[in-house]
mmCIF file of all heavy atoms in Angstrom:
data_model
loop_
_atom_site.group_PDB
_atom_site.id
_atom_site.type_symbol
_atom_site.label_atom_id
_atom_site.label_comp_id
_atom_site.label_asym_id
_atom_site.label_seq_id
_atom_site.Cartn_x
_atom_site.Cartn_y
_atom_site.Cartn_z
ATOM 1 N N GLY A 14 5.375 13.985 -11.639
ATOM 2 C CA GLY A 14 5.929 14.008 -12.995
ATOM 3 C C GLY A 14 4.993 14.687 -13.978
ATOM 4 O O GLY A 14 5.414 15.472 -14.827
ATOM 5 N N ARG A 15 3.716 14.394 -13.856
ATOM 6 C CA ARG A 15 2.734 15.039 -14.743
ATOM 7 C C ARG A 15 2.647 16.536 -14.480
ATOM 8 O O ARG A 15 2.551 17.341 -15.395
ATOM 9 C CB ARG A 15 1.360 14.390 -14.579
ATOM 10 C CG ARG A 15 1.295 12.986 -15.176
ATOM 11 C CD ARG A 15 -0.101 12.401 -15.116
ATOM 12 N NE ARG A 15 -1.137 13.243 -15.677
ATOM 13 C CZ ARG A 15 -1.547 13.195 -16.952
ATOM 14 N NH1 ARG A 15 -0.981 12.342 -17.769
ATOM 15 N NH2 ARG A 15 -2.508 13.986 -17.373
ATOM 16 N N ALA A 16 2.688 16.928 -13.222
ATOM 17 C CA ALA A 16 2.633 18.354 -12.878
ATOM 18 C C ALA A 16 3.868 19.078 -13.398
ATOM 19 O O ALA A 16 3.772 20.189 -13.935
ATOM 20 C CB ALA A 16 2.511 18.528 -11.368
ATOM 21 N N ALA A 17 5.029 18.462 -13.260
ATOM 22 C CA ALA A 17 6.267 19.070 -13.750
ATOM 23 C C ALA A 17 6.242 19.199 -15.270
ATOM 24 O O ALA A 17 6.674 20.218 -15.824
ATOM 25 C CB ALA A 17 7.467 18.247 -13.308
ATOM 26 N N ARG A 18 5.730 18.191 -15.952
ATOM 27 C CA ARG A 18 5.641 18.225 -17.404
ATOM 28 C C ARG A 18 4.692 19.336 -17.861
ATOM 29 O O ARG A 18 4.973 20.059 -18.820
ATOM 30 C CB ARG A 18 5.168 16.877 -17.941
ATOM 31 C CG ARG A 18 5.270 16.771 -19.456
ATOM 32 C CD ARG A 18 4.933 15.360 -19.949
ATOM 33 N NE ARG A 18 5.849 14.390 -19.374
ATOM 34 C CZ ARG A 18 5.446 13.269 -18.753
ATOM 35 N NH1 ARG A 18 4.171 12.992 -18.637
ATOM 36 N NH2 ARG A 18 6.328 12.432 -18.263
ATOM 37 N N ALA A 19 3.571 19.502 -17.166
ATOM 38 C CA ALA A 19 2.624 20.563 -17.510
ATOM 39 C C ALA A 19 3.240 21.943 -17.269
ATOM 40 O O ALA A 19 3.068 22.865 -18.078
ATOM 41 C CB ALA A 19 1.346 20.407 -16.693
ATOM 42 N N GLN A 20 3.972 22.099 -16.177
ATOM 43 C CA GLN A 20 4.620 23.369 -15.879
ATOM 44 C C GLN A 20 5.682 23.681 -16.930
ATOM 45 O O GLN A 20 5.803 24.820 -17.381
ATOM 46 C CB GLN A 20 5.240 23.328 -14.489
ATOM 47 C CG GLN A 20 5.860 24.638 -14.061
ATOM 48 C CD GLN A 20 6.462 24.559 -12.666
ATOM 49 O OE1 GLN A 20 6.477 23.491 -12.056
ATOM 50 N NE2 GLN A 20 6.939 25.678 -12.172
ATOM 51 N N CYS A 21 6.431 22.694 -17.334
ATOM 52 C CA CYS A 21 7.458 22.873 -18.358
ATOM 53 C C CYS A 21 6.824 23.269 -19.690
ATOM 54 O O CYS A 21 7.321 24.165 -20.377
ATOM 55 C CB CYS A 21 8.272 21.592 -18.518
ATOM 56 S SG CYS A 21 9.637 21.720 -19.668
ATOM 57 N N ALA A 22 5.731 22.647 -20.051
ATOM 58 C CA ALA A 22 5.045 22.981 -21.299
ATOM 59 C C ALA A 22 4.530 24.415 -21.266
ATOM 60 O O ALA A 22 4.597 25.137 -22.265
ATOM 61 C CB ALA A 22 3.895 22.008 -21.551
ATOM 62 N N ALA A 23 4.033 24.857 -20.120
ATOM 63 C CA ALA A 23 3.545 26.231 -19.989
ATOM 64 C C ALA A 23 4.698 27.227 -20.124
ATOM 65 O O ALA A 23 4.558 28.271 -20.775
ATOM 66 C CB ALA A 23 2.839 26.416 -18.650
ATOM 67 N N GLU A 24 5.852 26.924 -19.531
ATOM 68 C CA GLU A 24 7.012 27.812 -19.637
ATOM 69 C C GLU A 24 7.509 27.894 -21.077
ATOM 70 O O GLU A 24 7.868 28.977 -21.562
ATOM 71 C CB GLU A 24 8.126 27.332 -18.719
ATOM 72 C CG GLU A 24 7.825 27.537 -17.242
ATOM 73 C CD GLU A 24 8.907 26.951 -16.351
ATOM 74 O OE1 GLU A 24 9.942 26.477 -16.865
ATOM 75 O OE2 GLU A 24 8.715 26.968 -15.122
ATOM 76 N N ILE A 25 7.520 26.770 -21.765
ATOM 77 C CA ILE A 25 7.951 26.757 -23.165
ATOM 78 C C ILE A 25 6.994 27.575 -24.025
ATOM 79 O O ILE A 25 7.419 28.323 -24.906
ATOM 80 C CB ILE A 25 8.076 25.307 -23.676
ATOM 81 C CG1 ILE A 25 9.280 24.637 -23.023
ATOM 82 C CG2 ILE A 25 8.197 25.268 -25.190
ATOM 83 C CD1 ILE A 25 9.400 23.160 -23.308
ATOM 84 N N ALA A 26 5.705 27.465 -23.758
ATOM 85 C CA ALA A 26 4.716 28.245 -24.513
ATOM 86 C C ALA A 26 4.928 29.746 -24.293
ATOM 87 O O ALA A 26 4.855 30.538 -25.237
ATOM 88 C CB ALA A 26 3.305 27.844 -24.107
ATOM 89 N N GLU A 27 5.211 30.154 -23.068
ATOM 90 C CA GLU A 27 5.473 31.561 -22.780
ATOM 91 C C GLU A 27 6.722 32.048 -23.495
ATOM 92 O O GLU A 27 6.759 33.157 -24.031
ATOM 93 C CB GLU A 27 5.607 31.781 -21.282
ATOM 94 C CG GLU A 27 4.307 31.669 -20.516
ATOM 95 C CD GLU A 27 4.488 31.871 -19.022
ATOM 96 O OE1 GLU A 27 5.535 32.404 -18.611
ATOM 97 O OE2 GLU A 27 3.583 31.494 -18.274
ATOM 98 N N LEU A 28 7.771 31.221 -23.514
ATOM 99 C CA LEU A 28 8.999 31.590 -24.223
ATOM 100 C C LEU A 28 8.751 31.750 -25.718
ATOM 101 O O LEU A 28 9.265 32.680 -26.347
ATOM 102 C CB LEU A 28 10.089 30.543 -23.982
ATOM 103 C CG LEU A 28 10.729 30.545 -22.607
ATOM 104 C CD1 LEU A 28 11.665 29.336 -22.456
ATOM 105 C CD2 LEU A 28 11.488 31.827 -22.367
ATOM 106 N N ARG A 29 7.970 30.845 -26.291
ATOM 107 C CA ARG A 29 7.663 30.933 -27.720
ATOM 108 C C ARG A 29 6.880 32.198 -28.040
ATOM 109 O O ARG A 29 7.125 32.844 -29.054
ATOM 110 C CB ARG A 29 6.882 29.702 -28.167
ATOM 111 C CG ARG A 29 7.720 28.469 -28.253
ATOM 112 C CD ARG A 29 6.929 27.285 -28.729
ATOM 113 N NE ARG A 29 7.786 26.115 -28.838
ATOM 114 C CZ ARG A 29 7.347 24.894 -29.008
ATOM 115 N NH1 ARG A 29 6.062 24.660 -29.117
ATOM 116 N NH2 ARG A 29 8.196 23.890 -29.100
ATOM 117 N N ILE A 30 5.935 32.543 -27.195
ATOM 118 C CA ILE A 30 5.160 33.764 -27.408
ATOM 119 C C ILE A 30 6.075 34.979 -27.349
ATOM 120 O O ILE A 30 5.975 35.888 -28.170
ATOM 121 C CB ILE A 30 4.018 33.870 -26.379
ATOM 122 C CG1 ILE A 30 2.949 32.816 -26.667
ATOM 123 C CG2 ILE A 30 3.403 35.260 -26.368
ATOM 124 C CD1 ILE A 30 1.904 32.690 -25.581
ATOM 125 N N GLY A 31 6.978 34.991 -26.371
ATOM 126 C CA GLY A 31 7.923 36.099 -26.256
ATOM 127 C C GLY A 31 8.806 36.232 -27.474
ATOM 128 O O GLY A 31 9.035 37.334 -27.984
ATOM 129 N N ARG A 32 9.326 35.120 -27.954
ATOM 130 C CA ARG A 32 10.172 35.140 -29.150
ATOM 131 C C ARG A 32 9.384 35.612 -30.374
ATOM 132 O O ARG A 32 9.903 36.348 -31.209
ATOM 133 C CB ARG A 32 10.749 33.758 -29.419
ATOM 134 C CG ARG A 32 11.803 33.351 -28.444
ATOM 135 C CD ARG A 32 12.339 31.998 -28.773
ATOM 136 N NE ARG A 32 13.209 31.520 -27.718
ATOM 137 C CZ ARG A 32 13.570 30.274 -27.568
ATOM 138 N NH1 ARG A 32 13.133 29.361 -28.411
ATOM 139 N NH2 ARG A 32 14.373 29.914 -26.589
ATOM 140 N N GLN A 33 8.144 35.170 -30.485
ATOM 141 C CA GLN A 33 7.321 35.571 -31.621
ATOM 142 C C GLN A 33 7.054 37.070 -31.598
ATOM 143 O O GLN A 33 7.084 37.730 -32.631
ATOM 144 C CB GLN A 33 6.013 34.798 -31.622
ATOM 145 C CG GLN A 33 5.180 35.026 -32.860
ATOM 146 C CD GLN A 33 3.974 34.111 -32.910
ATOM 147 O OE1 GLN A 33 3.643 33.443 -31.942
ATOM 148 N NE2 GLN A 33 3.302 34.093 -34.037
ATOM 149 N N LEU A 34 6.822 37.626 -30.410
ATOM 150 C CA LEU A 34 6.603 39.064 -30.299
ATOM 151 C C LEU A 34 7.851 39.843 -30.702
ATOM 152 O O LEU A 34 7.763 40.866 -31.385
ATOM 153 C CB LEU A 34 6.185 39.428 -28.877
ATOM 154 C CG LEU A 34 4.786 38.985 -28.462
ATOM 155 C CD1 LEU A 34 4.538 39.292 -26.990
ATOM 156 C CD2 LEU A 34 3.734 39.641 -29.322
ATOM 157 N N VAL A 35 9.023 39.357 -30.296
ATOM 158 C CA VAL A 35 10.268 40.017 -30.682
ATOM 159 C C VAL A 35 10.435 39.960 -32.196
ATOM 160 O O VAL A 35 10.803 40.951 -32.833
ATOM 161 C CB VAL A 35 11.469 39.370 -29.964
ATOM 162 C CG1 VAL A 35 12.783 39.842 -30.552
ATOM 163 C CG2 VAL A 35 11.419 39.672 -28.479
ATOM 164 N N ASN A 36 10.158 38.819 -32.786
ATOM 165 C CA ASN A 36 10.281 38.683 -34.240
ATOM 166 C C ASN A 36 9.324 39.618 -34.967
ATOM 167 O O ASN A 36 9.682 40.220 -35.973
ATOM 168 C CB ASN A 36 10.021 37.238 -34.670
ATOM 169 C CG ASN A 36 11.154 36.320 -34.301
ATOM 170 O OD1 ASN A 36 12.259 36.774 -34.041
ATOM 171 N ND2 ASN A 36 10.883 35.035 -34.278
ATOM 172 N N LEU A 37 8.106 39.733 -34.472
ATOM 173 C CA LEU A 37 7.135 40.621 -35.107
ATOM 174 C C LEU A 37 7.572 42.076 -35.001
ATOM 175 O O LEU A 37 7.392 42.853 -35.938
ATOM 176 C CB LEU A 37 5.757 40.436 -34.487
ATOM 177 C CG LEU A 37 5.057 39.125 -34.831
ATOM 178 C CD1 LEU A 37 3.758 38.998 -34.047
ATOM 179 C CD2 LEU A 37 4.794 39.035 -36.319
ATOM 180 N N GLU A 38 8.156 42.458 -33.872
ATOM 181 C CA GLU A 38 8.648 43.825 -33.727
ATOM 182 C C GLU A 38 9.789 44.092 -34.705
ATOM 183 O O GLU A 38 9.850 45.156 -35.323
ATOM 184 C CB GLU A 38 9.120 44.076 -32.302
ATOM 185 C CG GLU A 38 7.993 44.186 -31.300
ATOM 186 C CD GLU A 38 8.494 44.361 -29.884
ATOM 187 O OE1 GLU A 38 9.713 44.573 -29.690
ATOM 188 O OE2 GLU A 38 7.671 44.295 -28.967
ATOM 189 N N LEU A 39 10.696 43.124 -34.850
ATOM 190 C CA LEU A 39 11.809 43.290 -35.783
ATOM 191 C C LEU A 39 11.306 43.381 -37.219
ATOM 192 O O LEU A 39 11.749 44.232 -37.983
ATOM 193 C CB LEU A 39 12.798 42.138 -35.643
ATOM 194 C CG LEU A 39 13.608 42.105 -34.352
ATOM 195 C CD1 LEU A 39 14.423 40.815 -34.285
ATOM 196 C CD2 LEU A 39 14.504 43.314 -34.241
ATOM 197 N N LEU A 40 10.392 42.503 -37.583
ATOM 198 C CA LEU A 40 9.860 42.528 -38.936
ATOM 199 C C LEU A 40 9.068 43.797 -39.202
ATOM 200 O O LEU A 40 9.084 44.325 -40.314
ATOM 201 C CB LEU A 40 8.972 41.308 -39.183
ATOM 202 C CG LEU A 40 9.709 39.983 -39.367
ATOM 203 C CD1 LEU A 40 8.707 38.840 -39.479
ATOM 204 C CD2 LEU A 40 10.605 40.025 -40.573
ATOM 205 N N GLY A 41 8.370 44.290 -38.199
ATOM 206 C CA GLY A 41 7.621 45.527 -38.364
ATOM 207 C C GLY A 41 8.534 46.685 -38.706
ATOM 208 O O GLY A 41 8.217 47.522 -39.545
ATOM 209 N N GLY A 42 9.700 46.746 -38.092
ATOM 210 C CA GLY A 42 10.657 47.801 -38.402
ATOM 211 C C GLY A 42 11.259 47.643 -39.773
ATOM 212 O O GLY A 42 11.472 48.620 -40.493
ATOM 213 N N VAL A 43 11.524 46.420 -40.181
ATOM 214 C CA VAL A 43 12.141 46.165 -41.475
ATOM 215 C C VAL A 43 11.168 46.477 -42.605
ATOM 216 O O VAL A 43 11.522 47.114 -43.596
ATOM 217 C CB VAL A 43 12.612 44.700 -41.568
ATOM 218 C CG1 VAL A 43 13.035 44.351 -42.978
ATOM 219 C CG2 VAL A 43 13.756 44.460 -40.601
ATOM 220 N N TYR A 44 9.934 46.029 -42.477
ATOM 221 C CA TYR A 44 8.965 46.168 -43.552
ATOM 222 C C TYR A 44 8.104 47.423 -43.430
ATOM 223 O O TYR A 44 7.176 47.604 -44.194
ATOM 224 C CB TYR A 44 8.067 44.934 -43.614
ATOM 225 C CG TYR A 44 8.810 43.695 -44.017
ATOM 226 C CD1 TYR A 44 8.924 42.620 -43.154
ATOM 227 C CD2 TYR A 44 9.422 43.603 -45.253
ATOM 228 C CE1 TYR A 44 9.615 41.480 -43.524
ATOM 229 C CE2 TYR A 44 10.115 42.476 -45.626
ATOM 230 C CZ TYR A 44 10.202 41.422 -44.754
ATOM 231 O OH TYR A 44 10.888 40.304 -45.123
ATOM 232 N N GLU A 45 8.419 48.276 -42.467
ATOM 233 C CA GLU A 45 7.597 49.468 -42.264
ATOM 234 C C GLU A 45 7.572 50.349 -43.505
ATOM 235 O O GLU A 45 6.525 50.839 -43.908
ATOM 236 C CB GLU A 45 8.125 50.268 -41.081
ATOM 237 C CG GLU A 45 7.312 51.482 -40.755
ATOM 238 C CD GLU A 45 7.843 52.201 -39.537
ATOM 239 O OE1 GLU A 45 8.781 51.720 -38.899
ATOM 240 O OE2 GLU A 45 7.296 53.274 -39.238
ATOM 241 N N LYS A 46 8.716 50.515 -44.137
ATOM 242 C CA LYS A 46 8.774 51.366 -45.323
ATOM 243 C C LYS A 46 7.951 50.766 -46.461
ATOM 244 O O LYS A 46 7.194 51.461 -47.126
ATOM 245 C CB LYS A 46 10.217 51.553 -45.765
ATOM 246 C CG LYS A 46 10.377 52.496 -46.926
ATOM 247 C CD LYS A 46 11.826 52.731 -47.276
ATOM 248 C CE LYS A 46 11.947 53.709 -48.418
ATOM 249 N NZ LYS A 46 13.331 53.943 -48.806
ATOM 250 N N SER A 47 8.077 49.473 -46.680
ATOM 251 C CA SER A 47 7.342 48.853 -47.778
ATOM 252 C C SER A 47 5.839 48.783 -47.495
ATOM 253 O O SER A 47 5.024 48.848 -48.412
ATOM 254 C CB SER A 47 7.882 47.458 -48.088
ATOM 255 O OG SER A 47 7.703 46.613 -46.975
ATOM 256 N N VAL A 48 5.450 48.687 -46.246
ATOM 257 C CA VAL A 48 4.033 48.649 -45.903
ATOM 258 C C VAL A 48 3.402 50.017 -46.143
ATOM 259 O O VAL A 48 2.265 50.120 -46.603
ATOM 260 C CB VAL A 48 3.841 48.214 -44.430
ATOM 261 C CG1 VAL A 48 2.410 48.443 -43.969
ATOM 262 C CG2 VAL A 48 4.211 46.760 -44.267
ATOM 263 N N ASN A 49 4.135 51.079 -45.869
ATOM 264 C CA ASN A 49 3.598 52.425 -46.015
ATOM 265 C C ASN A 49 3.664 52.945 -47.447
ATOM 266 O O ASN A 49 3.095 53.990 -47.742
ATOM 267 C CB ASN A 49 4.325 53.396 -45.081
ATOM 268 C CG ASN A 49 4.025 53.092 -43.633
ATOM 269 O OD1 ASN A 49 2.964 52.585 -43.303
ATOM 270 N ND2 ASN A 49 4.961 53.385 -42.761
ATOM 271 N N LEU A 50 4.361 52.256 -48.331
ATOM 272 C CA LEU A 50 4.461 52.684 -49.715
ATOM 273 C C LEU A 50 3.377 52.025 -50.559
ATOM 274 O O LEU A 50 2.935 50.921 -50.274
ATOM 275 C CB LEU A 50 5.820 52.305 -50.304
ATOM 276 C CG LEU A 50 7.037 53.021 -49.726
ATOM 277 C CD1 LEU A 50 8.293 52.441 -50.347
ATOM 278 C CD2 LEU A 50 6.964 54.502 -49.980
ATOM 279 N N GLY A 51 3.007 52.689 -51.624
ATOM 280 C CA GLY A 51 2.075 52.109 -52.570
ATOM 281 C C GLY A 51 2.825 51.289 -53.601
ATOM 282 O O GLY A 51 4.063 51.287 -53.669
ATOM 283 N N VAL A 52 2.098 50.571 -54.433
ATOM 284 C CA VAL A 52 2.705 49.728 -55.470
ATOM 285 C C VAL A 52 3.499 50.571 -56.458
ATOM 286 O O VAL A 52 4.592 50.196 -56.879
ATOM 287 C CB VAL A 52 1.624 48.896 -56.188
ATOM 288 C CG1 VAL A 52 2.215 48.108 -57.347
ATOM 289 C CG2 VAL A 52 0.942 47.965 -55.211
ATOM 290 N N ARG A 53 2.976 51.726 -56.825
ATOM 291 C CA ARG A 53 3.687 52.586 -57.773
ATOM 292 C C ARG A 53 5.016 53.056 -57.209
ATOM 293 O O ARG A 53 6.016 53.112 -57.921
ATOM 294 C CB ARG A 53 2.825 53.789 -58.129
ATOM 295 C CG ARG A 53 1.612 53.427 -58.938
ATOM 296 C CD ARG A 53 0.794 54.646 -59.267
ATOM 297 N NE ARG A 53 -0.428 54.241 -59.928
ATOM 298 C CZ ARG A 53 -1.435 55.039 -60.162
ATOM 299 N NH1 ARG A 53 -1.376 56.302 -59.789
ATOM 300 N NH2 ARG A 53 -2.513 54.598 -60.769
ATOM 301 N N ASP A 54 5.039 53.389 -55.938
ATOM 302 C CA ASP A 54 6.282 53.827 -55.314
ATOM 303 C C ASP A 54 7.305 52.706 -55.286
ATOM 304 O O ASP A 54 8.491 52.934 -55.540
ATOM 305 C CB ASP A 54 6.026 54.322 -53.893
ATOM 306 C CG ASP A 54 5.249 55.620 -53.854
ATOM 307 O OD1 ASP A 54 5.332 56.385 -54.841
ATOM 308 O OD2 ASP A 54 4.567 55.861 -52.848
ATOM 309 N N ILE A 55 6.869 51.503 -54.981
ATOM 310 C CA ILE A 55 7.786 50.362 -54.935
ATOM 311 C C ILE A 55 8.353 50.098 -56.324
ATOM 312 O O ILE A 55 9.556 49.869 -56.484
ATOM 313 C CB ILE A 55 7.071 49.115 -54.373
ATOM 314 C CG1 ILE A 55 6.707 49.353 -52.905
ATOM 315 C CG2 ILE A 55 7.944 47.879 -54.521
ATOM 316 C CD1 ILE A 55 5.843 48.282 -52.298
ATOM 317 N N ARG A 56 7.520 50.138 -57.349
ATOM 318 C CA ARG A 56 8.004 49.933 -58.720
ATOM 319 C C ARG A 56 9.015 51.009 -59.105
ATOM 320 O O ARG A 56 10.040 50.732 -59.710
ATOM 321 C CB ARG A 56 6.840 49.936 -59.703
ATOM 322 C CG ARG A 56 6.002 48.704 -59.638
ATOM 323 C CD ARG A 56 4.899 48.760 -60.668
ATOM 324 N NE ARG A 56 4.040 47.598 -60.557
ATOM 325 C CZ ARG A 56 2.874 47.488 -61.137
ATOM 326 N NH1 ARG A 56 2.413 48.476 -61.874
ATOM 327 N NH2 ARG A 56 2.154 46.405 -60.990
ATOM 328 N N ARG A 57 8.718 52.248 -58.755
ATOM 329 C CA ARG A 57 9.622 53.346 -59.081
ATOM 330 C C ARG A 57 10.973 53.165 -58.386
ATOM 331 O O ARG A 57 12.025 53.294 -59.013
ATOM 332 C CB ARG A 57 9.004 54.685 -58.642
ATOM 333 C CG ARG A 57 9.865 55.892 -58.934
ATOM 334 C CD ARG A 57 9.232 57.180 -58.414
ATOM 335 N NE ARG A 57 8.803 57.111 -57.013
ATOM 336 C CZ ARG A 57 9.630 57.238 -55.965
ATOM 337 N NH1 ARG A 57 10.910 57.422 -56.149
ATOM 338 N NH2 ARG A 57 9.147 57.167 -54.733
ATOM 339 N N ILE A 58 10.951 52.792 -57.128
ATOM 340 C CA ILE A 58 12.197 52.590 -56.379
ATOM 341 C C ILE A 58 12.995 51.439 -56.981
ATOM 342 O O ILE A 58 14.213 51.529 -57.157
ATOM 343 C CB ILE A 58 11.897 52.336 -54.892
ATOM 344 C CG1 ILE A 58 11.346 53.625 -54.258
ATOM 345 C CG2 ILE A 58 13.127 51.864 -54.150
ATOM 346 C CD1 ILE A 58 10.775 53.430 -52.875
ATOM 347 N N LEU A 59 12.319 50.355 -57.325
ATOM 348 C CA LEU A 59 13.019 49.214 -57.915
ATOM 349 C C LEU A 59 13.631 49.567 -59.261
ATOM 350 O O LEU A 59 14.751 49.148 -59.570
ATOM 351 C CB LEU A 59 12.076 48.020 -58.056
ATOM 352 C CG LEU A 59 11.664 47.342 -56.750
ATOM 353 C CD1 LEU A 59 10.620 46.271 -57.019
ATOM 354 C CD2 LEU A 59 12.865 46.757 -56.040
ATOM 355 N N ARG A 60 12.923 50.338 -60.068
ATOM 356 C CA ARG A 60 13.473 50.752 -61.362
ATOM 357 C C ARG A 60 14.678 51.658 -61.190
ATOM 358 O O ARG A 60 15.621 51.608 -61.969
ATOM 359 C CB ARG A 60 12.398 51.456 -62.179
ATOM 360 C CG ARG A 60 11.387 50.506 -62.753
ATOM 361 C CD ARG A 60 10.410 51.239 -63.674
ATOM 362 N NE ARG A 60 9.361 50.317 -64.106
ATOM 363 C CZ ARG A 60 8.081 50.610 -64.156
ATOM 364 N NH1 ARG A 60 7.669 51.819 -63.821
ATOM 365 N NH2 ARG A 60 7.219 49.712 -64.564
ATOM 366 N N GLN A 61 14.669 52.504 -60.188
ATOM 367 C CA GLN A 61 15.792 53.388 -59.939
ATOM 368 C C GLN A 61 17.010 52.639 -59.420
ATOM 369 O O GLN A 61 18.150 52.933 -59.770
ATOM 370 C CB GLN A 61 15.410 54.486 -58.939
ATOM 371 C CG GLN A 61 14.468 55.518 -59.478
ATOM 372 C CD GLN A 61 14.023 56.484 -58.399
ATOM 373 O OE1 GLN A 61 14.372 56.335 -57.233
ATOM 374 N NE2 GLN A 61 13.235 57.479 -58.798
#
Side-chain angles (χ1 to χ4, degrees):
R15 288 185 52 92
R18 189 174 300 129
Q20 184 180 4
C21 184
E24 289 176 6
I25 289 172
E27 288 179 17
L28 286 173
R29 287 181 178 168
I30 290 170
R32 288 181 189 163
Q33 187 173 11
L34 289 175
V35 169
N36 287 341
L37 289 174
E38 288 177 9
L39 290 173
L40 286 175
V43 170
Y44 293 117
E45 182 177 356
K46 184 176 182 181
S47 63
V48 168
N49 293 331
L50 293 176
V52 175
R53 292 180 186 169
D54 291 334
I55 294 172
R56 287 182 183 167
R57 180 183 50 79
I58 292 169
L59 289 174
R60 285 186 186 137
Q61 289 174 356

